[in-house]
Amino acid sequence: MKLHFEPNLDYQMAAVDAVCDLFRGQEICRTEFTVTKSALGGAFLPGMENDLGLGNRLTLLDDELLQNLHDIQLRNGLPPSGTLTSGDFTVEMETGTGKTYVYLRTIFELNKRYGFTKFVIVVPSIAIKEGVYKSLQITEEHFKGLFAGVPFDFFLYDSSKLGQVRNFATSPQVQIMVVTVGAINKKDVNNLYKDSEKTGGEKPIDLIRATRPIVIVDEPQSVDGGLSGAGKTALSAMDPLCTLRYSATHADKHHMVYRLDAVDAYERRLVKQIEVDSATVEDAHNKPFVRLIKVENKRGLISARVELDVQAAGGVQRREVGVQDGDNLEQTTKRALYADCRVGEIRVEKGNEFLELRVPGGEMFLKPGEVWGDVDALAMQREMIRRTIRQHLDKEKRLRLQGIKVLSLFFIDAVDKYRGHDADGQPVKGVYARLFEEEYRRAAKHPDYTTLFKEVDLFHTAEEVHNGYFSIDKKGGWTDTAENNQSNRDNAERAYNLIMKEKEKLLSFDTPLKFIFSHSALREGWDNPNVFQICALREMGSERERRQTIGRGLRLCVNQEGQRVRGFEANTLTVIATEGYQQFAENLQKEIEADTGIRFGIVEDHQFAGVSVAGPGGKIAPLGFDQSKALCTHLKACGYIDKKGRVQDSLKKALKEGSLVLPEGFSAQHDQITAILKKLAGRLEIKDANERRQVRTRQVILQSPEFKALWDRIKYKTTYRVHFDNEKLVESCIKALQEAPPISRPRLQWRKADIAIGKAGVEATERKGATTVMLDEIDIELPDLLTDLQDRTQLTRRTIHRILTDSLRLDDFKRNPQQFIELAAEAINRCKRLAVVDGIKYQKLGNEHFHAQELFEQEELTGYLKNLLKAEKSVYEQVIYDSDTEAGFADQLEKNSAVKVYTKLPGWFTVPTPLGGYNPDWAVLIEEDGAERLYFVVETKGGLFADALRDRERAKVDCGKAHFKALATGENPARYVVARTLDDVLKFL
């Protein structure tokens, strides 16, 4: 299998542009430097004494960088940074949305736009290092195709191969070095900081420093090194041009430039939807039960929070209580079952926390999350393994037909429970492996799965379909290890080589392995797009445990061609856990709040700054911080939010009823503002696996003449061509360039500072008198403007020449060439994007190319009780709705007698567009008072004004209109309409 990468996903390109636009106005960098020490003082000096290479050079002033940063933050609806306090910039992207692809593509965009060539990727662990290296390998051909075959080298830093560092410094090509922070953060023992013959006698760190690399930090919250900051120190030792920080869970948010948080990712269906299959024990209070939640030291008082079965007025209930050394649990619970059970020592030392439990027959030492008593643990785990296998096979039945291999992942508490060695050193199965094979064989005999197991050797299959991935020691044994020393890092390397380098093989039907058991090895850095079940055979109690767990399976799945499959119909991650559904959702939300800083239920002043507004000439611009703040003031005045921005019930009611009142001038942005408020007012929705239902077709409707007549009018497929009106495109480009912002001249920034030399060191204090001087660069070498713009826009030189001359702005090119090139390219490309849709023409492929009506029965559809409406006139027995607008529309369709039949069009019904597949919402047949029948394809939107829709939505709607217009031949064709309610459709009667 070969994985395919989609080059034009809007949210990924927005993240790339957010970083690249920081350097808007930067000259293309072509600075040579010497990589040998000069005889004078050992410093690196420009020159041509020996081997030369290309380094990174920044020509922008801090004020220009800060202005670029503010523009980006405004565009992306982020609070503005007050000052440029560091060269660190933050990109937040939810796990599974392509963070690694984004920063790798950013490398090539930075090289294309500004000529930067030296990049260092710093990661916290070997798992992530191997994952990044694998990503570089499988995207190499993809990026060379996108960036005109640009040559580049990438390598894993190895302290025994320091010649690679010399090549990194001297090569004129794009160089990418991948390194773990553990390999560079200890100066006293690290070869990076020592003179070496392999680098010509130089310290490798000096060679790296001389290149002024752009440092990319993957998971900086783990790289920085906490309070001690050893990781941060190692990063600063490289003297980076800037540091780009990428994570879903930032601890420090330095100059945020882009944010795609967990809620955005779920709502936009960029990751799998999550459901929880929870296993909670009820009415099993026949044994004493103690679970340690946490230990505490508050003002010198040592205590613990534990879960006990307590006698209450309504019977025995499991409750969380506080205990101290010496407490009698029989008295605490008021149950004789706990006779002679006492609390002993409570230790709060970080990393060594425990509670001593003195029970009849000895002592127990519980760590946080551990349990004494309750039901038989293995009996519980057997049921969880059985449930996971059943969930796996249910999805396999449905998804195998679509070419999608299903994987399941088990997290276990100890390696020896899955696999170990006997006295002779031979591998033996642990209890989990034996339980799995027993339950797998049992499931294979079940009537529901006979089609999956027909003519299969069950004993052989049961052994082949599961395996474990753990750190491997030198003797081939499996260990529970952390990467806290070189020996353990070597152990981890042996395991990750196997995992990371065979990702495509694991996705293939030819590989029987489908169930993966892991200890700590897969907690970060490893994921696979086709993990559909995650079973936690250990307690999920620690911080970030739920986010780490589900993060292993959030990516959208791929089929056997390596192509991404979208839509929740195929993409649902089931978490099998010993935690109630509501409790899991609440705890996951707390983790998201703690990790990302999302303040659920709070509306902040900057919240609406990025809302799109149509300006002069139809140009889209952000609303801005001042307008956003004014809108928040209005919401407070209406009582929708309180003084602190907390959402009130009145706002929730207004959003539900569609009665939200906005100030004059905001009506066109109503939908965008409402969407933001719904996100802030609601909770993160986690599905309950027990509420999942298969939605069946209603045969009396599906086979009816009325539906067949409707289907025959919309089922045909089309192809499209884009017809540019060249003259119109050129005119719009000229106008866009004329209306573009002015070009500033280069500036020189003067600052004065007092230098004080004392025993504490040298201190510089800036004085008053800073001035800015405009520069007239009369000797500037002008680049080849036409060639550069031709590369950026793919228009002909003649067309570009006309646009530039007729815009009357060529003097701006002489004033600041680089800034002019960027501004002109952006203006032209925006006009091109609009022209693509304006000039699109669809053509019916022919009568033999159509969506078969049989797909309604062949393609399984599933939904959840809370998102299902019972339907009588629909092709399906229930309607699955994704919004209040859709729910209201479906209800109106059912109640209006003019509607004869309808269907919510399933995900497989798509219209091809230049922006990807488009799935319209509804197909409806209406007959008024026995008169002529009318057929409609309806797209339901909360607002009907074109400027209320984002560019991408509006473009797809325009493509939908063109597609169905191409099918509108013959008598009484189907009409395509955009509507909020059924009344909007009935106006066409």
Side-chain angles (χ1 to χ4, degrees):
M1 177 190 294
K2 189 174 182 179
L3 292 175
H4 293 260
F5 297 91
E6 298 169 278
N8 295 312
L9 296 177
D10 55 351
Y11 64 93
Q12 291 183 348
M13 292 310 300
V16 172
D17 288 339
V19 171
C20 292
D21 288 349
L22 283 168
F23 305 101
R24 185 184 293 271
Q26 160 83 12
E27 299 173 7
I28 291 184
C29 173
R30 290 288 182 266
T31 303
E32 294 184 334
F33 66 91
T34 302
V35 296
T36 58
K37 291 180 181 177
S38 82
L40 303 173
F44 282 86
L45 298 173
M48 297 184 65
E49 300 170 9
N50 208 320
D51 296 328
L52 297 180
L54 291 176
N56 298 331
R57 181 168 62 93
L58 185 66
T59 60
L60 295 179
L61 300 173
D62 283 357
D63 289 349
E64 293 173 304
L65 272 173
L66 183 60
Q67 184 58 54
N68 287 343
L69 175 61
H70 284 169
D71 292 343
I72 294 162
Q73 290 170 329
L74 174 63
R75 181 174 80 210
N76 291 328
L78 298 167
S81 300
T83 58
L84 199 65
T85 56
S86 71
D88 293 346
F89 302 96
T90 297
V91 174
E92 182 178 311
M93 294 186 71
E94 175 63 359
T95 302
T97 57
K99 166 172 60 74
T100 305
Y101 176 88
V102 163
Y103 68 64
L104 293 181
R105 179 150 183 180
T106 300
I107 287 174
F108 294 100
E109 285 288 348
L110 288 170
N111 172 256
K112 177 182 176 181
R113 299 187 195 187
Y114 311 113
F116 296 138
T117 56
K118 302 302 161 72
F119 301 87
V120 178
I121 301 173
V122 184
V123 300
S125 68
I126 290 168
I128 298 178
K129 181 187 76 171
E130 293 294 341
V132 172
Y133 191 66
K134 179 66 176 179
S135 295
L136 280 163
Q137 289 176 316
I138 63 180
T139 57
E140 182 174 4
E141 184 179 334
H142 170 76
F143 285 133
K144 284 186 175 178
L146 284 179
F147 294 93
V150 58
F152 65 95
D153 296 322
F154 57 90
F155 65 97
L156 299 177
Y157 170 76
D158 186 335
S159 60
S160 66
K161 301 176 181 177
L162 294 177
Q164 292 177 317
V165 177
R166 180 177 180 82
N167 184 64
F168 174 87
T170 59
S171 172
Q173 297 179 354
V174 174
Q175 292 287 314
I176 305 169
M177 179 170 75
V178 186
V179 59
T180 61
V181 69
I184 63 172
N185 65 0
K186 296 180 177 64
K187 285 190 177 182
D188 51 341
V189 297
N190 202 307
N191 290 338
L192 190 69
Y193 302 93
K194 298 176 183 178
D195 295 337
S196 173
E197 293 181 1
K198 297 177 181 178
T199 56
E202 313 295 349
K203 295 176 182 177
I205 188 65
D206 287 340
L207 292 177
I208 295 171
R209 184 185 293 118
T211 69
R212 295 298 310 280
I214 292 176
V215 173
I216 294 170
V217 186
D218 196 332
E219 308 294 354
Q221 72 280 0
S222 299
V223 167
D224 286 348
L227 296 176
S228 65
K232 281 185 178 179
T233 302
L235 297 178
S236 62
M238 297 184 195
D239 192 19
L241 181 107
C242 69
T243 303
L244 309 175
R245 304 159 67 85
Y246 292 80
S247 179
T249 55
H250 289 280
D252 298 312
K253 296 178 172 64
H254 306 270
H255 302 319
M256 182 82 74
V257 296
Y258 182 76
R259 185 176 202 177
L260 178 69
D261 61 41
V263 179
D264 289 327
Y266 298 145
E267 288 183 343
R268 296 175 63 179
R269 302 190 176 194
L270 305 179
V271 293
K272 289 191 182 88
Q273 98 179 325
I274 305 167
E275 65 177 15
V276 178
D277 208 355
S278 59
T280 54
V281 179
E282 298 178 2
D283 299 325
H285 307 301
N286 302 309
K287 296 179 182 179
F289 169 84
V290 181
R291 183 169 78 93
L292 176 61
I293 298 171
K294 63 180 178 179
V295 296
E296 298 175 312
N297 183 356
K298 292 185 176 179
R299 298 178 182 177
L301 180 64
I302 306 295
S303 63
R305 302 293 296 179
V306 297
E307 208 171 29
L308 303 170
D309 288 342
V310 178
Q311 184 66 51
V316 178
Q317 296 180 3
R318 190 157 288 179
R319 289 181 176 175
E320 183 181 321
V321 298
V323 296
Q324 298 177 25
D325 189 348
D327 279 3
N328 184 324
L329 296 186
E330 182 179 8
Q331 294 176 359
T332 302
T333 62
K334 297 181 174 59
R335 297 187 69 204
L337 202 64
Y338 285 86
D340 298 323
C341 295
R342 292 179 177 272
V343 176
E345 179 186 357
I346 300 173
R347 182 171 293 180
V348 296
E349 177 188 350
K350 191 166 183 62
N352 194 28
E353 303 95 332
F354 68 73
L355 176 143
E356 180 189 9
L357 194 62
R358 296 170 184 163
V359 299
E363 299 83 26
M364 299 288 300
F365 294 90
L366 300 182
K367 295 180 180 179
E370 291 185 341
V371 173
W372 174 73
D374 203 17
V375 298
D376 178 27
L378 274 181
M380 186 77 171
Q381 288 158 342
R382 178 186 285 276
E383 290 302 318
M384 295 179 72
I385 291 172
R386 177 184 300 169
R387 186 76 169 182
T388 304
I389 292 171
R390 294 289 297 269
Q391 292 278 9
H392 177 109
L393 296 177
D394 285 339
K395 285 187 187 161
E396 194 171 282
K397 279 174 59 181
R398 178 163 51 91
L399 297 179
R400 189 179 180 88
L401 297 174
Q402 300 177 42
I404 298 169
K405 182 178 176 181
V406 177
L407 300 176
S408 293
L409 181 58
F410 293 91
F411 283 99
I412 64 177
D413 46 353
V415 173
D416 59 10
K417 288 187 177 180
Y418 177 74
R419 181 184 290 162
H421 292 88
D422 60 18
D424 298 325
Q426 296 300 311
V428 294
K429 296 172 185 175
V431 62
Y432 290 153
R434 294 195 300 272
L435 288 177
F436 173 84
E437 290 182 10
E438 290 171 11
E439 293 303 326
Y440 188 77
R441 292 191 189 102
R442 178 180 296 179
K445 297 174 184 177
H446 195 281
D448 288 350
Y449 310 118
T450 53
T451 56
L452 289 175
F453 292 97
K454 187 180 288 186
E455 299 176 3
V456 172
D457 176 357
L458 298 184
F459 184 83
H460 191 246
T461 302
E463 288 192 324
E464 284 191 332
V465 298
H466 71 101
N467 206 339
Y469 288 126
F470 313 107
S471 292
I472 304 171
D473 62 26
K474 290 182 178 179
K475 297 179 181 179
W478 299 280
T479 60
D480 301 343
T481 64
E483 295 177 25
N484 53 2
N485 57 51
Q486 189 57 47
S487 175
N488 282 344
R489 284 196 288 271
D490 290 341
N491 292 342
E493 190 98 42
R494 279 182 280 272
Y496 300 143
N497 280 343
L498 176 64
I499 300 170
M500 298 298 177
K501 294 179 180 178
E502 297 192 347
K503 181 178 283 190
E504 297 96 331
K505 184 178 178 181
L506 193 55
L507 288 166
S508 171
F509 284 145
D510 295 333
T511 303
L513 176 60
K514 297 183 284 190
F515 297 87
I516 300 162
F517 287 78
S518 174
H519 183 246
S520 58
L522 303 188
R523 287 186 61 185
E524 63 175 8
W526 185 95
D527 51 36
N528 191 291
N530 287 23
V531 170
F532 286 91
Q533 286 71 230
I534 294 179
C535 177
L537 292 173
R538 52 175 167 78
E539 290 286 331
M540 283 197 280
S542 64
E543 294 180 5
R544 297 190 174 100
E545 183 76 14
R546 290 158 196 82
R547 290 204 78 200
Q548 284 183 347
T549 298
I550 66 174
R552 302 313 106 219
L554 281 181
R555 293 187 184 279
L556 299 180
C557 64
V558 299
N559 60 23
Q560 292 301 288
E561 284 71 48
Q563 296 169 332
R564 196 76 62 187
V565 180
R566 301 190 176 276
F568 284 166
E569 295 86 358
N571 290 284
T572 298
L573 174 66
T574 305
V575 181
I576 295 92
T578 56
E579 188 173 34
Y581 150 67
Q582 292 289 351
Q583 185 183 3
F584 183 94
E586 289 173 8
N587 288 329
L588 178 60
Q589 181 159 307
K590 288 176 183 176
E591 290 180 16
I592 290 173
E593 288 177 326
D595 284 346
T596 67
I598 294 175
R599 299 171 69 199
F600 288 95
I602 301 291
V603 181
E604 298 179 88
D605 285 346
H606 72 273
Q607 216 82 59
F608 309 101
V611 166
S612 300
V613 180
K619 187 173 183 179
I620 302 298
L623 184 63
F625 290 105
D626 292 340
Q627 287 283 76
S628 176
K629 190 171 182 179
L631 186 53
C632 287
T633 301
H634 166 81
L635 295 174
K636 291 174 185 176
C638 293
Y640 291 137
I641 59 177
D642 65 14
K643 291 181 180 179
K644 294 183 178 180
R646 191 172 299 280
V647 170
Q648 303 298 295
D649 288 342
S650 58
L651 176 58
K652 294 181 180 180
K653 182 179 179 183
L655 290 172
K656 187 174 182 179
E657 296 176 351
S659 59
L660 181 70
V661 177
L662 295 177
E664 284 188 31
F666 288 94
S667 58
Q669 288 75 46
H670 185 278
D671 286 357
Q672 295 179 64
I673 294 167
T674 300
I676 292 171
L677 289 172
K678 282 183 177 179
K679 170 183 165 183
L680 295 167
R683 297 179 62 83
L684 180 64
E685 186 175 18
I686 307 296
K687 308 290 186 180
D688 183 353
N690 295 316
E691 292 188 356
R692 179 164 23 108
R693 299 288 185 272
Q694 182 177 348
V695 180
R696 302 184 184 282
T697 55
R698 189 179 296 280
Q699 288 294 312
V700 67
I701 300 293
L702 182 61
Q703 305 301 335
S704 68
E706 291 84 1
F707 182 72
K708 186 178 186 306
L710 172 61
W711 191 246
D712 285 345
R713 284 164 170 79
I714 67 171
K715 68 182 182 182
Y716 293 102
K717 297 182 179 181
T718 60
T719 184
Y720 64 82
R721 291 183 179 179
V722 176
H723 296 275
F724 281 107
D725 183 333
N726 289 334
E727 186 61 29
K728 184 179 178 182
L729 174 61
V730 169
E731 289 175 359
S732 64
C733 289
I734 293 169
K735 185 177 180 183
L737 194 52
Q738 289 172 338
E739 295 176 351
I743 298 291
S744 61
R745 287 157 50 195
R747 303 186 300 279
L748 182 66
Q749 183 72 47
W750 289 98
R751 290 189 175 90
K752 291 184 178 180
D754 290 328
I755 304 297
I757 303 175
K759 292 181 179 179
V762 180
E763 183 178 359
T765 306
E766 188 171 351
R767 291 167 44 191
K768 292 181 179 179
T771 57
T772 301
V773 179
M774 296 297 178
L775 295 177
D776 287 320
E777 295 182 293
I778 56 175
D779 59 344
I780 191 169
E781 185 177 338
L782 297 177
D784 185 342
L785 176 59
L786 292 180
T787 299
D788 205 328
L789 285 178
Q790 188 176 20
D791 289 341
R792 291 172 183 247
T793 66
Q794 285 75 52
L795 295 184
T796 64
R797 295 171 70 89
R798 177 179 295 181
T799 300
I800 295 170
H801 180 270
R802 180 183 164 193
I803 292 169
L804 295 177
T805 52
D806 289 2
S807 72
L808 306 177
R809 293 199 62 173
L810 279 172
D811 286 342
D812 288 342
F813 171 60
K814 299 174 185 176
R815 182 180 297 118
N816 192 325
Q818 186 63 33
Q819 197 176 69
F820 180 82
I821 289 171
E822 290 174 4
L823 184 131
E826 182 179 346
I828 292 171
N829 282 329
R830 183 174 181 275
C831 292
K832 274 182 59 186
R833 285 194 295 270
L834 294 174
V836 164
V837 174
D838 287 345
I840 198 163
K841 301 291 183 185
Y842 279 84
Q843 182 175 349
K844 184 178 173 182
L845 279 172
N847 292 332
E848 67 278 9
H849 298 283
F850 57 85
H851 297 283
Q853 189 170 326
E854 289 76 18
L855 288 172
F856 282 96
E857 297 174 271
Q858 295 170 3
E859 298 287 342
E860 184 177 311
L861 195 65
T862 58
Y864 294 82
L865 292 179
K866 63 178 65 178
N867 293 100
L868 292 176
L869 282 176
K870 188 176 180 181
E872 298 293 336
K873 302 177 184 178
S874 170
V875 168
Y876 294 105
E877 293 179 353
Q878 293 94 19
V879 172
I880 302 174
Y881 63 89
D882 297 319
S883 66
D884 292 341
T885 300
E886 288 188 355
F889 191 78
D891 185 58
Q892 293 164 6
L893 290 172
E894 284 292 325
K895 292 177 179 176
N896 195 300
S897 59
V899 177
K900 300 308 175 185
V901 295
Y902 71 92
T903 185
K904 176 86 182 297
L905 290 167
W908 47 260
F909 186 94
T910 58
V911 174
T913 82
L915 306 172
Y918 161 57
N919 172 220
D921 288 333
W922 311 87
V924 184
L925 167 58
I926 295 177
E927 183 180 297
E928 188 86 79
D929 297 328
E932 181 183 13
R933 291 176 176 175
L934 294 176
Y935 303 90
F936 293 96
V937 175
V938 184
E939 179 69 25
T940 41
K941 296 290 184 186
L944 301 184
F945 296 102
D947 57 355
L949 303 177
R950 293 187 180 275
D951 281 346
R952 198 175 184 84
E953 287 182 79
R954 186 170 59 197
K956 285 195 173 184
V957 166
D958 290 343
C959 289
K961 289 178 181 176
H963 165 84
F964 288 104
K965 184 178 180 181
L967 300 184
T969 56
E971 186 180 348
N972 200 6
R975 303 186 193 184
Y976 177 89
V977 300
V978 180
R980 285 174 303 181
T981 65
L982 182 58
D983 285 342
D984 294 327
V985 180
L986 296 176
K987 292 174 183 176
F988 290 88
L989 296 179

